[in-house]
Amino acid sequence: MNNKQILPVLMISTAFIVSCDETKQAIQNPFLTTYDTPFGVPPFDQIKDEHFKPAYEEALRQHTAEVDSIAGITEDPTFENTILALENAGSLLTRVSYVFSNLNSSTTNPAIQALDKELAPKLAAHRDNISLNAQLFSRVNRIWDKRESLGLSSEQLMLLERSYKSFVRNGANLSDADQAILRDINAQLAALTTQFGQNVLTETNAFELIVTSDDSLAGLSDDLKAAAAETAKAKGHDGKWVFTLSNSSVMPFLQYAANRELRKQLWDAYRSRAGNGNAQDNSEVLVEIANLRLQKANLLGYPTHAHYVLEEAMAENPANVKKLLDNLWKPAIAKAKAEAYDIQKEIEASGKNFQAAPYDWRYYSEKIRQKRFSLSEEELKPYFSLAGVRQGAFDVANKLYGITFKKLDSIPTYHPEVEVYEVLEADGSHIGIFYVDYFPRESKRPGAWMSSFRRQYTENGDRKAPVIVNVCNFTKPVGDQPALLTFDEANTLFHEFGHALHGLLSNVTYSSLSGTSVSRDFVELPSQVMENWAEDPTVLKAYAKHYQTGAAIPDELIAKLESAGTFGQGFATVEYLASSILDFDYHTITSPITVSAQEFEKTSMAKAGLIDEIIPRHSSTYFQHIFSGGYSAGYYSYIWAEVLDADAFAAFKETSLYDQATASAFRKNVLEKGGTVKPAELYRKFRGADPNPIYLMKKRGLD
């Protein structure tokens, strides 16, 4: 659904039934009145937890009334009175949901989590009530059958196709008995996926590695130790050091800590999240999710969940995905085995005689990198201040598209650490609002993502601007020192900023087709292509400045970065592909899983040929992407889109880094179009041809 105003007739029909008590409630509940804020952003300074439930109740009531009114129209169905009316319905529900889902991910609490559990099955039932409304589907179906004679624009046709397929793919053609089964499955899945995500967050927050001796921190830099000391103080362990399961804490520890036993403790906790046999164990939850997804796919006429998902993806079917994964796995595992050999030799050269384990890989790989390329992450970090990297991303967007970013200090935010920017065209006209939320906290789920508080759409020829947010988990500033990023974190900032540009520069008519409303294996193109600029030597010289001296990153360091560019790509590619294969194995089952999640994963990885020194980037019990994050049978999307982004960046390299004709073509045919055109067609319009995978192979050193 979208953020537009509901149809006037529907507004009138609901206005007469608002009582005095409801009017008073509306005045007190910011969701039930027009936002009186700059640019119409959510009034976070007024929104309280207790506002969500009554707002949802009213939103569901309104949306139900709107849908019933559309279904009950006696006139013949038309695009305007049915498809457009459905598109315009549910504006309050959309508004509340955008705020609630974002806050639940980035600054949750027990009250929000409890409401999330309560709402999940209710919202699933509400969606089913629309998708399985026979009277409503009849109207949509009749329009679909005569679509070619209606004189619709290409965007109207796409909205009609999306609407029709949504009904069919959500069970509109099923018998009453099968629809009842589908409703039950959807309710269960809504509850289970919510539980899965909450379990991971609880387990992530529960663990603390408390270190009491400075001797145990050998190998760690002063800033890492200072950050751990601040974490300890905040958690009531003053005078000690605390390391958590946040990536900004655990990964540097595994990379630099000389104490192997402590590395093992932290790794074991990270690896076993939500799989510890306690109340937060996801082992049975995820198996039930996978089995229910199979049951749902079969009910809808698909052999597997993957077939159901990929029907609407750029990949089209599981065979195409498997071909890509297989083609990449062979050279990647060969490179990873060579890297494992080097790591074992490094262990032995250091006078140790143990077999390399997963918690040794990053530590000894870093030692090899320093020896081979004289390159240390700690040597790089002073040049990657958060402010500098963010400005670097802004500058790239300015040079490509002419847009600018103006910091706003009077806009309400949902957390004190959040900053807000107005995004402007070269002529000063308003594009949208951009929130950034960069630091970890216990109320925030792990990872990095882009989301929306309002999606772009057009009303009566007037472009309604989007409100976009980037959320990450970078290490916080320590003392007087600013937040310093690793090179990987700098890439992450550019990546999520690419998603933000996709949402901000959208220029379509219908909200449900705007911005990132594209298939999973295409949505990563705008994000991943930005990483190429983050790594380019010319761009690095412009934004990577020493936080103390202001000096640009030296040419020698850039040369080392380039020399080490494909170092460790065997490991990086294999751990990613392993997760992709695991995802695919869970979602290409043709009969229910009867073994434990641990046994299923073990069998999956043995079949793939994964070596003991590496585990999947996301193991089953904390694999949020596929069990609570919308990427089921779709984790392959990142590598699929990497084929696209490597080829797309080659288009710039063939001309110039900021070639205006190429940038304009990318903006016009990819960033602005959202889901109004099929992804493959959009890409061909930009590039003039299908993507060539050779650029990806070269980029990862697998050619």
Side-chain angles (χ1 to χ4, degrees):
M1 298 300 168
N2 67 30
N3 337 0
K4 302 182 194 176
Q5 294 296 319
I6 57 177
L7 295 177
V9 65
L10 297 177
M11 292 179 70
I12 293 170
S13 67
T14 58
F16 288 113
I17 60 173
V18 177
S19 69
C20 292
D21 287 342
E22 288 172 322
T23 302
K24 182 179 179 181
Q25 181 192 64
I27 294 172
Q28 296 173 340
N29 192 320
F31 290 116
L32 304 182
T33 60
T34 302
Y35 290 167
D36 183 20
T37 55
F39 307 103
V41 301
F44 293 114
D45 53 342
Q46 300 173 34
I47 295 172
K48 297 180 173 59
D49 291 348
E50 56 265 30
H51 291 143
F52 285 113
K53 186 171 182 177
Y56 262 114
E57 290 172 347
E58 175 60 16
L60 289 169
R61 185 189 68 78
Q62 283 190 19
H63 196 203
T64 298
E66 293 161 12
V67 169
D68 288 346
S69 178
I70 296 167
I73 294 174
T74 57
E75 291 82 4
D76 287 342
T78 65
F79 179 85
E80 287 73 18
N81 70 20
T82 302
I83 305 303
L84 183 58
L86 283 172
E87 170 74 5
N88 287 338
S91 59
L92 177 58
L93 181 58
T94 298
R95 181 164 58 167
V96 177
S97 295
Y98 279 169
V99 174
F100 181 79
S101 62
N102 276 294
L103 298 194
N104 189 31
S105 295
S106 57
T107 180
T108 194
N109 60 51
I112 289 179
Q113 289 183 316
L115 182 57
D116 190 28
K117 282 188 174 182
E118 179 184 343
L119 285 171
K122 292 180 180 179
L123 292 172
H126 178 70
R127 290 189 293 269
D128 285 340
N129 289 340
I130 297 172
S131 298
L132 303 179
N133 185 319
Q135 191 176 7
L136 185 61
F137 177 59
S138 174
R139 297 184 63 83
V140 173
N141 195 28
R142 287 159 65 190
I143 300 169
W144 175 252
D145 285 344
K146 58 181 181 181
R147 61 192 179 279
E148 294 179 0
S149 64
L150 298 177
L152 300 177
S153 69
S154 60
E155 191 170 347
Q156 288 174 324
L157 280 170
M158 181 58 75
L159 182 63
L160 171 58
E161 180 179 335
R162 286 272 191 101
S163 301
Y164 171 76
K165 286 186 175 180
S166 176
F167 276 94
V168 173
R169 286 171 55 80
N170 285 288
N173 282 326
L174 295 179
S175 67
D176 290 347
D178 284 344
Q179 286 187 1
I181 295 172
L182 181 63
R183 285 177 180 273
D184 181 58
I185 292 172
N186 287 340
Q188 291 184 68
L189 283 172
L192 289 167
T193 54
T194 298
Q195 180 183 350
F196 186 97
Q198 291 188 1
N199 285 346
V200 175
L201 181 62
T202 300
E203 283 278 278
T204 300
N205 289 338
F207 180 82
E208 298 175 359
L209 177 65
I210 303 173
V211 180
T212 58
S213 168
D214 186 65
D215 293 340
S216 298
L217 302 178
L220 299 184
S221 64
D222 289 341
D223 63 316
L224 285 174
K225 290 192 285 187
E230 286 202 359
T231 301
K233 185 176 182 180
K235 290 179 173 289
H237 305 294
D238 205 2
K240 300 176 183 178
W241 298 266
V242 167
F243 298 89
T244 70
L245 298 184
S246 167
N247 270 6
S248 61
S249 178
V250 66
M251 293 307 168
F253 191 91
L254 292 172
Q255 190 171 358
Y256 295 108
N259 189 314
R260 187 173 190 244
E261 178 55 35
L262 290 182
R263 290 203 311 270
K264 183 178 186 301
Q265 285 182 38
L266 193 58
W267 173 259
D268 285 345
Y270 184 82
R271 171 71 173 83
S272 64
R273 281 177 296 163
N276 291 305
N278 55 19
Q280 285 75 47
D281 196 310
N282 275 332
S283 303
E284 293 182 3
V285 173
L286 71 90
V287 168
E288 195 170 355
I289 290 172
N291 288 343
L292 283 168
R293 285 173 174 167
L294 170 62
Q295 186 183 354
K296 178 176 177 177
N298 291 166
L299 194 65
L300 293 168
Y302 299 89
T304 72
H305 178 71
H307 283 85
Y308 171 75
V309 169
L310 295 173
E311 180 183 60
E312 294 299 295
M314 195 174 178
E316 296 182 342
N317 58 64
N320 289 337
V321 174
K322 190 174 187 308
K323 180 180 178 181
L324 174 68
L325 298 180
D326 288 347
N327 287 344
L328 291 172
W329 180 262
K330 186 175 180 180
I333 195 67
K335 191 173 180 69
K337 287 178 179 178
E339 292 169 2
Y341 177 83
D342 289 344
I343 286 171
Q344 192 60 47
K345 288 296 183 185
E346 181 66 24
I347 291 172
E348 293 168 3
S350 67
K352 306 294 194 302
N353 60 3
F354 54 80
Q355 183 65 34
Y359 47 86
D360 297 314
W361 191 290
R362 286 175 173 82
Y363 179 74
Y364 285 98
S365 183
E366 177 63 19
K367 286 190 171 297
I368 295 170
R369 185 172 74 150
Q370 290 184 30
K371 288 182 178 179
R372 194 172 293 176
F373 305 103
S374 299
L375 181 65
S376 166
E377 192 72 68
E378 293 307 309
E379 188 180 7
L380 291 170
K381 285 177 71 174
Y383 295 95
F384 292 97
S385 70
L386 173 59
V389 176
R390 179 180 57 212
Q391 188 58 48
F394 288 175
D395 289 343
V396 168
N398 174 256
K399 291 176 181 178
L400 287 171
Y401 311 117
I403 63 178
T404 58
F405 296 79
K406 177 184 176 183
K407 193 170 187 300
L408 303 175
D409 295 319
S410 59
I411 300 292
T413 63
Y414 59 85
H415 192 276
E417 293 172 345
V418 176
E419 295 182 355
V420 189
Y421 295 84
E422 182 185 7
V423 188
L424 302 163
E425 291 282 13
D427 63 4
S429 57
H430 180 73
I431 293 176
I433 296 296
F434 181 41
Y435 288 76
V436 294
D437 179 3
Y438 287 134
F439 302 124
R441 49 183 173 266
E442 290 191 353
S443 60
K444 182 191 288 187
R445 69 175 172 86
W449 61 92
M450 164 268 184
S451 190
S452 307
F453 288 112
R454 182 175 67 233
R455 299 173 73 173
Q456 181 270 325
Y457 63 96
T458 302
E459 186 175 58
N460 298 323
D462 183 24
R463 180 183 183 271
K464 300 300 181 181
V467 178
I468 304 298
V469 60
N470 270 175
V471 186
C472 301
N473 279 278
F474 301 140
T475 304
K476 288 185 177 183
V478 178
D480 295 331
Q481 180 178 288
L484 300 178
L485 307 186
T486 65
F487 189 49
D488 282 345
E489 287 176 327
N491 274 300
T492 297
L493 188 149
F494 269 76
H495 177 106
E496 298 306 332
F497 181 65
H499 280 310
L501 290 177
H502 201 183
L504 286 163
L505 298 181
S506 174
N507 192 22
V508 305
T509 303
Y510 307 113
S511 174
S512 62
L513 299 179
S514 70
T516 56
S517 59
V518 298
S519 63
R520 288 292 188 190
D521 50 11
F522 192 70
V523 78
E524 296 299 335
L525 166 60
S527 58
Q528 290 179 185
V529 76
M530 284 298 295
E531 295 182 43
N532 292 279
W533 276 275
E535 300 169 355
D536 186 88
T538 303
V539 183
L540 279 168
K541 291 289 287 187
Y543 81 83
K545 305 288 182 68
H546 197 284
Y547 78 97
Q548 291 174 314
T549 67
I553 187 171
D555 291 335
E556 310 87 79
L557 270 182
I558 293 178
K560 290 178 182 180
L561 271 172
E562 288 189 291
S563 298
T566 60
F567 177 76
Q569 279 300 311
F571 169 82
T573 307
V574 163
E575 70 157 2
Y576 164 77
L577 290 176
S579 286
S580 299
I581 291 168
L582 181 60
D583 166 33
F584 229 57
D585 283 351
Y586 274 118
H587 294 116
T588 53
I589 56 171
T590 55
S591 59
I593 298 171
T594 57
V595 298
S596 69
Q598 289 75 13
E599 185 63 29
F600 186 93
E601 180 175 321
K602 181 179 178 181
T603 301
S604 170
M605 294 299 94
K607 183 180 177 182
L610 183 63
I611 57 179
D612 292 340
E613 296 89 342
I614 302 176
I615 70 164
R617 181 178 298 175
H618 304 282
S619 287
S620 299
T621 57
Y622 56 89
F623 202 165
Q624 292 191 91
H625 282 78
I626 68 169
F627 290 119
S628 64
Y631 274 77
S632 60
Y635 193 66
Y636 77 90
S637 299
Y638 293 95
I639 204 81
W640 183 280
E642 198 171 341
V643 173
L644 303 179
D645 89 66
D647 183 80
F649 191 65
F652 285 91
K653 298 296 284 186
E654 289 163 4
T655 51
S656 67
L657 199 59
Y658 298 110
D659 180 69
Q660 290 302 288
T662 309
S664 177
F666 191 77
R667 177 174 178 172
K668 178 181 178 181
N669 294 301
V670 177
L671 297 179
E672 291 186 356
K673 286 294 191 291
T676 60
V677 181
K678 299 290 186 183
E681 185 180 343
L682 284 178
Y683 193 82
R684 282 191 289 268
K685 283 185 176 182
F686 156 66
R687 192 69 162 105
D690 290 325
N692 189 337
I694 189 61
Y695 296 110
L696 168 64
M697 301 295 281
K698 288 180 178 179
K699 182 179 178 180
R700 286 187 172 255
L702 303 176
D703 55 323

